[in-house]
Amino acid sequence: MLTAILAFGGLAAGFGIALGAAAVRFKVEGDPLVDQIDALLPQTQCGQCSYPGCRPYAEAIAGGEAEINQCPPGGEDGIIALAELLGREVVPLNPENGTAAETPLVAIIDEAACIGCTLCIQACPVDAILGANKLMHTVIEAECTGCELCVPPCPVDCIDMVPVTSSIQNWTWPEPGTPAQAA
Amino acid sequence: MFGLLRRAAPDQFPGGLKLDSHKLSADQARIQLAPVPSRVILPLSQHIGAPAQLKVEVGQRVLRGQTVATADGYVSAPIHASTSGRVVSIGPQPVPHPSGLSAPAIVIEADGLDEAPSAPEWVAQPDYRSLDRAELRQRVRQAGIVGLGGAAFPSAVKLNPGGGDAVDTLILNGAECEPYISCDQALMAERAADIVAGAELIRYAIQARDCIIGVEDNKPEGIAALRAALRERESRAIEVRVVPTRYPQGGEKQLVQTLTGREVPSEGLPLDIGIVVHNVGTAIAVWQALTRAEPLISRVVTVTGNGIAKPANLEVRIGTPVAELIAHCGGYAGPRGRLIMGGPMMGFALSCDTVPVVKATNCILVAAPEDVRPVEPAKACIRCGECAEVCPAGLLPQQLYWHARGREFEKAQALNLFDCIECGCCAQVCPSHIPLVQYYRYAKTGIFQAEQERRKSDIARTRHEFRQGRLEREKQEKEAARQRKRESLQQREAAPASPAPAAKPAGNDAIAQAIAKAKLEKARRLARDTEDSATDPVAAAIARAKAKKAAQDERPITQAADDPVADAIALAKARKAEQNPLADDPAAAAIARAKANKAAQRSTAEDPATQAIARALARKAARADSDAKPAGDDDPVAAAIARAKARKAARNSDPDA
């Protein structure tokens, strides 16, 4: 009897310590689901989803506060990917959040018109605008996510959103059977 | 079942097709020297890897063989001027690419002299064995040599297989399996000695034990010439091996399998199984670069097809416009069908004939109108399995097709889409005329694009997170600084016998006057801020914070507070006094200023809300004052002050406009 109690007591204590140690040792920092959702979002950081960036939106989705159809830059593909990850129904993009852009855009500053006010630099969520007070600003095209957040603050309206130019590097073969077919 | 039987055959890759060769006759195939073109167009990206870095300017004169663009990174290749002349433009030019898009290129107007520099950029070294292997690679790299079989992979990279006995066999690819193309055939027949010498050199460079030159059995002249050259040079380590004529025998992985019986692993390189494959043309280029210090400025191109008057193999300067080659070959024979760069199976249609010959160009195929098969509408897949039979990579073309069509690119990738060499056998045999290869290309570039986007969004995420972190840090730093100031202020207040505040500005003491003026200005600015933001609680809070800060900046105040409104009036009066250039009595003005100063000090020490009101009042008064102020008085100092104020006002109002 005593042996049994001791044995089981010992086992219970042993497992308890092991589990406790494991909980400390392998503690999961944050919600892994948020990371997974965040990885699927386009990281435009445009705020069209009504959250201040992609990660807050991911957190809202994971917390059940937001729908998966609030990200216009992610488009339909993004919604499908989120639906697959979360096991939800695919829903059309919520028009309240905007419409998906036909082509990816990039901001261009008309450098002759720029007065160097730095307002766009403060607005850019990814630090893709270079410049200083009273000096001309320019967009680092490769880093621009096309979020359009720099457009409204510009006091002289010198920022334009233009479609990303297609080059040999980013050219893709068209889907066979489409009129754009090259070969 | 047939597939199994085919696979059972020794020394043969699975699948493949027997195609009509359409090669040039021996007579036609002889290499002719094409004339130096009147202008050359040198795209900066003629190779796999990073585009070359520009080294010349518009208007600069360049000589034949001069480096006009340098390699940018390890996997890259420099570009050399293929004749002497003047750089007339640098910018986007139509280039040979399936997209038909333009890409940056250097255009050189030839001067007809074809002048080479007096000394080459590196020294010719006929005895390559005296060179260190790294030095050897460096020269191949300098010479801008890339794989001339069509892939244009920088050769210097392939000459560096890693240390030790990583490579046991060097294979020279002389299979040239695609119909119509005969440039390698011509090289083997005419320049066999150089090929063998190049093979020895490469074998030395990569320390390979064996060397096999694989040639298809439909090139007897080439085989004979190579064997004769081997006998002459007594190269025992090199062996010429005849392989069956079967498309795509010239595919790197297929040739490796045929010659060695070893299969290159999925998504791997021949190097993974100890083999390096170079084209025979590349071997000649390497040999010439080392022993004659010649960079890669020309290559042999087959100009053929039923649409050309006199088909030929031409040794062409890189950058020659295709139109000039066609003109040299007697022009188009009748109406033009289609212009293809490369062979009929793996080549791509050119949108115009102004594009230049690049390092990868092995063939210009001018199809006659009757050769161009009308594109038959694709019918439904009948699951006949023919495509799987002929696939030389042993893939499942049907499955790949379904996934590509359904945009399920990951599934296609899981079925080894990237082992597809785009040989086109599957589409060739498809009874439903489904453009299978185009689907695979579509899927491949779609995957590349998705990867690119993922990379870009990762960068955006990092940058955004960094920015958030930075803003947070700045906020904390500001808070800490504020805390420090508050503490130091408290300390000073607590400290006994603090020095008495400076005497009030008296009479016409200029320094005191200036200080007073500066303070006045400050107070006014604060007041203005407060007024501007009267509606916004956040801005109000900021204003309050600023006011507090200003208070900290001031010396400790000992006076008892008066009515803030009275203070504001004093302030306004002071301003008036200052602006009104009656200033006949400087002493009176100074006193007024001192009063204002006092008022300002007092007001800052008080409750922020009443302060704000006071400032607003003061500001209003000041503004009304300055509006009413008569201009054009004769005191230059006052005029300057007025001007500065006007400027400031203008500047302040600007961002709100």
Side-chain angles (χ1 to χ4, degrees):
Chain A
M1 179 69 187
L2 189 68
T3 339
I5 289 169
L6 280 179
F8 278 94
L11 274 175
F15 279 120
I17 289 165
L19 283 171
V24 175
R25 176 81 178 74
F26 303 110
K27 190 175 185 327
V28 177
E29 294 286 342
D31 189 350
L33 186 63
V34 172
D35 282 333
Q36 285 173 22
I37 297 172
D38 194 36
L40 292 178
L41 295 174
Q43 304 303 321
T44 325
Q45 317 292 358
C46 61
Q48 288 184 77
C49 53
S50 77
Y51 292 90
C54 294
R55 196 163 179 94
Y57 179 44
E59 281 161 5
I61 295 177
E65 296 157 30
E67 269 302 317
I68 56 170
N69 63 347
Q70 300 181 2
C71 177
E76 205 191 320
D77 290 348
I79 295 173
I80 293 172
L82 284 173
E84 261 175 30
L85 175 72
L86 301 166
R88 294 199 205 170
E89 286 287 303
V90 174
V91 278
L93 187 68
N94 189 347
E96 275 174 28
N97 297 104
T99 46
E102 295 279 304
T103 49
L105 298 172
V106 67
I108 297 278
I109 292 180
D110 178 359
E111 291 167 354
C114 175
I115 55 166
C117 68
T118 74
L119 290 175
C120 57
I121 295 180
Q122 291 158 37
C124 181
V126 290
D127 286 336
I129 303 179
L130 205 65
N133 195 14
K134 289 179 198 149
L135 293 170
M136 182 193 79
H137 302 348
T138 195
V139 176
I140 309 170
E141 226 175 287
E143 314 288 9
C144 175
T145 63
C147 68
E148 304 188 26
L149 289 180
C150 53
V151 178
C154 180
V156 290
D157 270 342
C158 71
I159 307 179
D160 284 317
M161 299 304 297
V162 296
V164 176
T165 48
S166 61
S167 69
I168 285 177
Q169 274 73 35
N170 64 16
W171 179 79
T172 58
W173 282 88
E175 187 171 359
T178 52
Q181 199 173 310
Chain B
M1 197 185 113
F2 292 109
L4 284 177
L5 282 180
R6 267 183 210 171
R7 247 158 262 196
D11 294 352
Q12 179 63 290
F13 61 91
L17 284 175
K18 193 105 187 146
L19 298 172
D20 291 338
S21 75
H22 294 288
K23 305 265 184 188
L24 297 180
S25 66
D27 200 33
Q28 287 172 317
R30 198 151 299 132
I31 299 170
Q32 301 172 27
L33 216 59
V36 177
S38 56
R39 61 161 42 195
V40 290
I41 303 156
L42 302 168
L44 292 178
S45 186
Q46 301 188 25
H47 46 262
I48 289 178
Q53 285 275 2
L54 202 61
K55 263 285 179 248
V56 289
E57 293 167 0
V58 174
Q60 187 180 334
R61 183 160 191 267
V62 291
L63 300 175
R64 188 189 72 209
Q66 184 182 333
T67 308
V68 291
T70 52
D72 182 25
Y74 183 58
V75 183
S76 186
I79 313 273
H80 301 84
S82 46
T83 185
S84 64
R86 202 163 290 283
V87 177
V88 288
S89 88
I90 295 169
Q93 291 284 332
V95 293
H97 190 267
S99 65
L101 289 169
S102 296
I106 302 169
V107 182
I108 299 170
E109 198 80 65
D111 55 14
L113 302 172
D114 203 24
E115 191 185 334
S118 46
E121 289 182 8
W122 64 93
V123 188
Q125 185 68 263
D127 179 23
Y128 60 85
R129 278 172 198 275
S130 64
L131 284 175
D132 178 46
R133 286 186 177 88
E135 175 73 7
L136 215 138
R137 278 198 296 275
Q138 184 52 34
R139 294 198 179 175
V140 169
R141 192 177 162 75
Q142 268 184 311
I145 297 174
V146 301
L148 297 179
F153 189 80
S155 298
V157 179
K158 272 164 92 176
L159 290 183
N160 187 13
D165 48 358
V167 179
D168 58 59
T169 311
L170 165 69
I171 291 177
L172 282 203
N173 188 344
E176 201 169 54
C177 57
E178 214 171 337
Y180 289 99
I181 309 175
S182 57
C183 55
D184 289 352
Q185 177 188 333
L187 282 175
M188 288 186 286
E190 296 177 37
R191 299 181 190 170
D194 280 1
I195 293 176
V196 170
E200 282 174 345
L201 199 162
I202 298 173
R203 189 175 148 257
Y204 165 77
I206 60 176
Q207 294 175 274
R209 194 181 61 231
D210 306 317
C211 173
I212 310 170
I213 307 178
V215 190
E216 273 191 345
D217 55 14
N218 63 352
K219 302 173 186 65
E221 289 172 356
I223 297 163
L226 283 172
R227 290 204 165 131
L230 283 181
R231 269 196 304 279
E232 202 176 304
R233 286 187 75 94
E234 296 177 349
S235 310
R236 286 201 190 80
I238 303 175
E239 179 193 354
V240 174
R241 211 180 288 170
V242 181
V243 295
T245 301
R246 184 174 194 86
Y247 179 80
Q249 189 68 268
E252 188 175 66
K253 295 172 183 180
Q254 284 65 37
L255 189 66
V256 165
Q257 203 170 351
T258 305
L259 289 177
T260 65
R262 284 185 269 176
E263 200 174 340
V264 179
S266 176
E267 290 194 36
L269 293 170
L271 184 60
D272 299 338
I273 51 170
I275 295 169
V276 168
V277 185
H278 282 278
N279 176 264
V280 286
T282 315
I284 298 179
V286 168
W287 175 248
Q288 288 178 345
L290 262 295
T291 59
R292 293 176 217 157
E294 282 175 16
L296 183 65
I297 56 163
S298 68
R299 67 157 296 149
V300 179
V301 177
T302 306
V303 184
T304 184
N306 293 330
I308 192 95
K310 284 184 282 179
N313 273 323
L314 300 177
E315 175 149 16
V316 186
R317 297 295 169 95
I318 306 284
T320 307
V322 167
E324 292 205 19
L325 292 191
I326 286 164
H328 182 73
C329 291
Y332 295 109
R336 195 176 93 195
R338 188 185 272 176
L339 207 55
I340 294 163
M341 190 167 280
M345 297 295 284
M346 295 176 78
F348 55 89
L350 296 177
S351 48
C352 57
D353 59 10
T354 55
V355 299
V357 165
V358 291
K359 290 175 182 177
T361 307
N362 52 4
C363 179
I364 302 292
L365 180 57
V366 189
E370 62 269 19
D371 292 340
V372 182
R373 274 183 303 162
V375 181
E376 300 221 19
K379 298 192 199 82
C381 171
I382 56 167
R383 295 269 187 188
C384 65
E386 273 296 307
C387 48
E389 288 289 305
V390 296
C391 180
L395 302 176
L396 298 169
Q398 275 178 28
Q399 264 61 27
L400 291 174
Y401 160 64
W402 291 119
H403 292 318
R405 210 180 125 167
R407 294 182 56 90
E408 299 170 318
F409 294 154
E410 307 82 34
K411 288 185 184 168
Q413 202 171 351
L415 287 171
N416 303 316
L417 174 67
F418 283 99
D419 285 331
C420 168
I421 59 166
E422 300 173 25
C423 65
C425 289
C426 49
Q428 179 84 10
V429 298
C430 180
S432 294
H433 307 290
I434 300 170
L436 291 165
V437 188
Q438 290 177 33
Y439 275 104
Y440 306 150
R441 287 174 176 156
Y442 161 66
K444 282 183 183 178
T445 47
I447 292 168
F448 289 146
Q449 198 185 28
E451 252 165 37
Q452 229 168 1
E453 272 167 21
R454 205 168 312 135
R455 260 200 305 277
K456 209 181 158 183
S457 77
D458 283 345
I459 293 172
R461 184 184 296 117
T462 333
R463 289 180 78 92
H464 183 64
E465 277 165 8
F466 183 84
R467 181 187 150 89
Q468 299 290 89
R470 194 190 65 218
L471 293 181
E472 186 58 34
R473 200 178 59 232
E474 276 171 6
K475 217 166 103 188
Q476 280 171 358
E477 275 167 7
K478 251 183 213 160
E479 186 52 48
R482 220 171 284 148
Q483 187 65 34
R484 270 200 303 279
K485 265 197 179 157
R486 209 173 294 140
E487 275 163 13
S488 71
L489 182 71
Q490 278 164 358
Q491 271 172 10
R492 250 189 287 173
E493 264 178 350
S498 61
K504 296 275 151 285
N508 37 22
D509 181 354
I511 297 166
Q513 255 183 33
I515 292 169
K517 223 189 275 178
K519 277 189 187 146
L520 188 70
E521 189 57 49
K522 198 176 205 169
R524 209 182 299 129
R525 212 183 307 133
L526 281 173
R528 188 187 297 130
D529 288 344
T530 320
E531 188 192 49
D532 287 349
S533 54
T535 50
D536 184 353
V538 177
I542 292 169
R544 270 202 300 279
K546 271 187 188 158
K548 222 181 273 167
K549 199 170 177 188
Q552 285 166 0
D553 287 337
E554 314 279 356
R555 270 161 299 167
I557 297 132
T558 47
Q559 292 92 343
D562 266 341
D563 175 25
V565 179
D567 282 345
I569 293 165
L571 208 68
K573 265 190 192 155
R575 226 187 99 62
K576 206 172 199 170
E578 181 205 2
Q579 271 167 5
N580 264 345
L582 350 145
D584 40 16
D585 183 1
I591 290 163
R593 270 187 217 110
K595 267 186 190 161
N597 177 24
K598 210 183 219 169
Q601 280 182 357
R602 210 177 298 143
S603 67
T604 52
E606 280 171 22
D607 168 48
T610 40
Q611 255 177 44
I613 296 165
R615 286 216 188 81
L617 280 171
R619 157 111 182 101
K620 214 170 230 165
R623 201 193 272 159
D625 203 52
S626 72
D627 285 346
K629 186 196 69 159
D633 40 62
D634 38 25
D635 185 342
V637 179
I641 292 169
R643 267 202 304 280
K645 274 181 192 146
R647 252 207 310 277
K648 195 164 202 176
R651 217 183 304 137
N652 280 334
S653 63
D654 212 9
D656 310 327

